[in-house]
């Protein structure tokens, strides 16, 4: 973006229908100096890229104010640089004695390195002038569109609807008592609701939207008065206001779904400072602060555990139903619930930049980006409404001119068709469904960058998975303990004694297994690394060696049975370390980066959905095929990053719509080449810089859930378009046939809009992730 272009984001007060968004978009886009406008009904936000001119920012607020809405600037938050450290778990090319020289030391395995990611898309933001203009905006401009927060009757729109309803009730009462005054009384009752509508219609027309629903409504109501249908005119205005109010309530529900995530973060936190613990507002916590999280409390900030361990309930944020055990150096997410242990936590993100804030911001920005279907409907509606206005004019004029009826009858029908012609229900059909779907996905840890991505996910026919950290857990685990001359637990205990203090992934796997079995690990007298071969140390009176099978065989020749047993383990894709005591081979330990618990279910769900699944990995073929066999999937192994990119391109040329699922870092070329790039876990910043979507919890089954969410969304959109166009078609025919009049005509639009919105809200139901 050029240096003299700024981007402002606003919260739009009172915008709750597609017609509102369209008017605002058109009005702002026509202003000189404005480069681009993006308006989201679902999020209630607007982003404007414009020339670096303080007066222009103020003029934007003023122009939107005249349409009946208030703009409130949203403060810009720059994303901090993120350092993601991923440990290798397939091939281990570290300077460590466990770099065994058998087949697992393949030269270009799935190695993860330290990556520093900074946001290359930081823009200049200017909110000062906009904020000043917002505060100066006369309140009279906003009385038609009150805030949708709080009870509906407290909003300006709610009060207007109530006033119009009371006026109509009074008109019915007085008209009953004095029938001669009925036309005037109903006209006055109609004007209570119509005057604000007419003013908005005029503002929209002068801002580039002549065929707004307010304009059609005004023409229809005034026309009805002229042909003597004053009672119907007043009722139509009331029904219109009720419909708008219902739209606002429904839009508020969709908006609240994602905003409710922010309510998960507690208001206060317990801050350690100067040797004491003080209760402070959670949003005042700075990066680097140390806080105490008591048992049962919600976590007030993102952070790293300094001391303590506990089971943490992550369901509110990620949808993970089982509490996750957390200990020192594990990450905590704001809004999750601490279990039964007290935790001291180092804060790593301010309130405005914690995981929940980033998710909310991401979803709101995603809702501003239009899906292909939505863009098509928008283009269609630009021609649809003028076409209906022409049809209405022809219906009102032609039959009387041709002598086929009286003027009042056909003008009445023409006015009814005008009301049918508003595209509100049609225009909202797509964004309402997409907004609800993005919100529902986010609440389950399924993040998508926008409507276009949401559409494309449902179209995928091939899914290419990375292995390490995607299909597998990303860290080795002990799978087999073989006791050749000692008991299995003794073999593991002695190996753990040699590995004490090591941070190598294989060492951690041995130590973790010993800890799980609660083994007493003997003390070690001396230990030294023998380059490229293994570890040697003294435990008690015994000299121990732990290393690769080849190095062990050089020290103490292995028997054919021992070699056969180790070869069998290698064939299963496992790394084997052999333990020697003195001059005797006493045991072996096999380790492997094991599949995620839900990987088999997730792969099967994709296969059942008709999606071809393939593994693309840099790991050696034997290891990769051992994992692939468990899932019954095609395996492409020993690949460099450019090879993965090439294979994705080949799949696309073969006619597949390809999703690439990886860690979001070392798979960047393939993620970019795919139709949809999906990052598995790893933190939202890293994942979303490199991919179109992210599975925050790292479940393989969530990829299938994302596909199901997309396909159910597209079905919902088709239903919405059918409702919108179907109701209009029915009422168009019945109106021309003289069966229905003005009342049903307004229901054809506002009623359809409410039905479409409520149908879209069904997508807010929990996403099935398994």
């Amino acid at each position: 973006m050029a240096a003299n272009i700024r981007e402002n984001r606003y919260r739009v007060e009172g915008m709750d229908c597609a017609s509102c968004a369209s008017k605002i978009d058109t009005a702002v886009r026509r202003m000189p100096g404005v480069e681009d406008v993006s308006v989201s009904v679902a999020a209630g936000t607007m982003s404007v890229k414009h020339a670096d001119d303080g007066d222009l920012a103020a003029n934007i607020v003023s122009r939107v104010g005249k349409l009946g809405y208030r703009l409130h600037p949203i403060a810009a938050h720059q994303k901090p640089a993120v350092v993601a450290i991923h440990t290798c778990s397939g091939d281990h090319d570290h300077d460590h004695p466990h770099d065994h020289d058998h087949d697992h030391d393949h030269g270009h395995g799935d190695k993860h390195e330290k990556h520093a990611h900074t946001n290359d898309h930081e823009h200049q933001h200017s909110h000062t002038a906009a904020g000043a203009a917002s505060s100066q905006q006369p309140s009279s401009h906003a009385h038609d569109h009150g805030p949708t927060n709080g009870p509906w009757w407290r909003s300006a729109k709610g009060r207007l609807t109530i006033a119009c309803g009371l006026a109509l009730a009074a008109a019915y009462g007085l008209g009953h008592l004095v029938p001669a005054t009925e036309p005037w009384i109903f006209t006055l009752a109609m004007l209570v609701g119509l005057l604000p509508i007419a003013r908005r219609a005029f503002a929209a027309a002068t801002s580039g939207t002549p065929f707004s629903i307010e304009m059609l409504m005004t023409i229809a109501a005034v026309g009805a008065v002229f042909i003597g249908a004053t009672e119907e005119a007043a009722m139509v205005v009331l029904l219109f206001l009720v419909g708008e109010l219902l739209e606002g309530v429904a839009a508020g529900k969709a908006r609240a779904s994602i905003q409710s995530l922010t309510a998960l973060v507690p208001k206060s936190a317990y801050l350690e400072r100067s040797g004491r613990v003080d209760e402070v507002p959670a949003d005042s916590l700075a990066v680097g602060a140390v806080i105490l999280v008591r048992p049962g409390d919600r976590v007030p900030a993102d952070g790293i555990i300094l001391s303590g361990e506990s089971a943490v309930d992550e369901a509110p944020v990620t949808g993970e139903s089982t509490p996750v055990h957390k200990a020192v150096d594990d990450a905590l997410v704001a809004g999750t619930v601490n279990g039964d242990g007290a935790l001291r936590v180092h804060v790593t993100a301010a309130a405005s930049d914690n995981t929940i804030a980033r998710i909310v911001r991401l979803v709101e920005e995603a809702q501003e980006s239009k899906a292909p279907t939505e863009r098509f409907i928008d283009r269609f509606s630009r021609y649809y409404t003028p076409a209906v206005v022409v049809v209405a004019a022809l219906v009102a004029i032609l039959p009387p001119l041709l002598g086929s009826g009286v003027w009042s009858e056909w003008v009445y029908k023409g006015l009814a068709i005008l009301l049918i012609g508003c595209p509100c229900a049609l225009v909202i059909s797509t964004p309402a469904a997409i907004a609800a779907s993005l919100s529902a996905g986010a609440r389950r840890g399924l993040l998508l960058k926008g409507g276009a991505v949401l559409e494309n996910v449902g179209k995928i026919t091939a899914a290419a998975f990375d292995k390490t950290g995607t299909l597998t857990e990303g860290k080795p685990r002990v799978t087999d303990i073989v006791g050749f001359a000692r008991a299995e637990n003794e073999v593991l205990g002695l190996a753990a004694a040699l590995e004490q203090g090591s941070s190598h992934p294989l060492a951690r796997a041995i130590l973790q297994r010993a800890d799980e079995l609660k083994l007493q690990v003997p003390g070690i007298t001396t230990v030294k690394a023998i380059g490229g071969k293994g570890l040697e140390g003294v435990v008690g009176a015994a000299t121990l060696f732990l290393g690769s099978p080849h190095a062990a065989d050089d020290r103490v020749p292995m028997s054919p049975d021992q070699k056969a047993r180790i070869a069998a383990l290698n064939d299963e894709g496992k790394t084997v370390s052999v333990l020697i005591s003195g001059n005797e081979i006493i045991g072996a330990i096999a380790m492997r980066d094991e599949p995620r618990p839900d990987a088999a279910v997730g792969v099967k769900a994709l296969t059942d959905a008709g999606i071809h699944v393939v593994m693309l990995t840099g790991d050696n073929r034997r290891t990769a095929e051992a994992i692939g066999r468990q899932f019954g999937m095609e395996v492409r192994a020993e690949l460099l990053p450019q090879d993965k990119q090439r294979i994705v391109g080949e799949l696309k040329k073969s006619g597949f719509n390809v999703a690439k699922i990886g860690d979001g870092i070392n798979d960047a070329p393939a993620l970019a080449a795919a139709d949809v790039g999906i990052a598995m876990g790893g933190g939202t910043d890293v994942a979303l810089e490199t991919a179109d979507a992210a599975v925050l919890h790292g479940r393989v089954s969530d990829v299938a859930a994302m596909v199901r969410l997309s396909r159910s969304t597209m079905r919902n959109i088709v239903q919405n378009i059918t409702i919108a166009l179907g109701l209009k078609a029915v009422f168009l025919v019945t109106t021309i046939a003289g069966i229905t009049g003005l009342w049903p005509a307004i229901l054809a639009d506002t009623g359809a809009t409410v039905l479409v919105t409520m149908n879209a809200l069904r997508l807010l139901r929990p996403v099935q992730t398994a």
Side-chain angles (χ1 to χ4, degrees), residues 43-112:
T45 59
M46 174 176 73
S47 294
V48 185
K49 293 176 184 175
H50 62 81
D52 186 1
D53 181 347
D55 289 340
L56 179 56
N59 292 340
I60 288 170
V61 176
S62 175
R63 172 68 66 91
V64 174
K66 289 176 182 175
L67 294 174
Y69 312 93
R70 276 171 93 77
L71 295 184
H72 302 286
I74 300 173
H77 299 294
Q78 290 187 338
K79 292 179 183 176
V82 175
V83 177
I85 301 172
H86 295 255
T87 55
C88 165
S89 55
D91 307 313
H92 304 286
D93 195 18
H94 301 268
D95 184 15
H96 185 276
H98 281 241
D99 284 335
H100 308 319
D101 52 357
H102 52 73
D103 288 350
H104 294 276
D105 293 319
H106 197 279
H108 45 265
D110 277 347
K111 297 177 178 64
H112 298 200

Side-chain angles (χ1 to χ4, degrees), residues 230-246:
T230 54
E231 180 183 340
E232 283 193 81
M235 179 57 77
V236 163
V237 170
L238 176 62
L239 289 173
F240 173 77
L241 291 173
V242 169
E244 273 204 326
L245 192 61
L246 289 174

Side-chain angles (χ1 to χ4, degrees), residues 478-495 510 513 517 545-546 549 558-570 572 574-581 584-591:
V478 172
T479 57
D480 301 86
I481 304 166
V482 182
F484 291 132
R486 304 279 178 89
E488 292 179 1
N489 282 0
E490 186 179 353
V491 170
L492 181 62
L494 291 171
I510 290 172
R513 184 61 176 154
L517 295 176
F545 173 81
L546 181 68
M558 287 188 281
S559 69
D561 288 344
Q562 289 170 342
K563 287 182 178 179
R565 184 70 188 274
I566 289 168
L569 292 169
N570 283 338
E572 293 172 9
K574 296 171 182 176
T575 299
V576 180
S577 294
V578 176
L579 183 64
I580 297 175
S581 177
E584 183 181 24
I585 294 176
I586 61 171
I589 298 174
M591 288 157 282

Side-chain angles (χ1 to χ4, degrees), residues 7-10 36-39 45-49 365 368:
E7 178 176 338
N8 287 344
R9 288 192 78 228
Y10 302 91
D36 192 28
V37 182
S38 184
V39 185
T45 59
M46 174 176 73
S47 294
V48 185
K49 293 176 184 175
E365 288 169 1
E368 287 176 5

Side-chain angles (χ1 to χ4, degrees), residues 335-346:
T336 54
V337 182
N338 186 21
D340 53 6
L343 301 172
R344 287 180 68 246
V345 178
H346 172 86

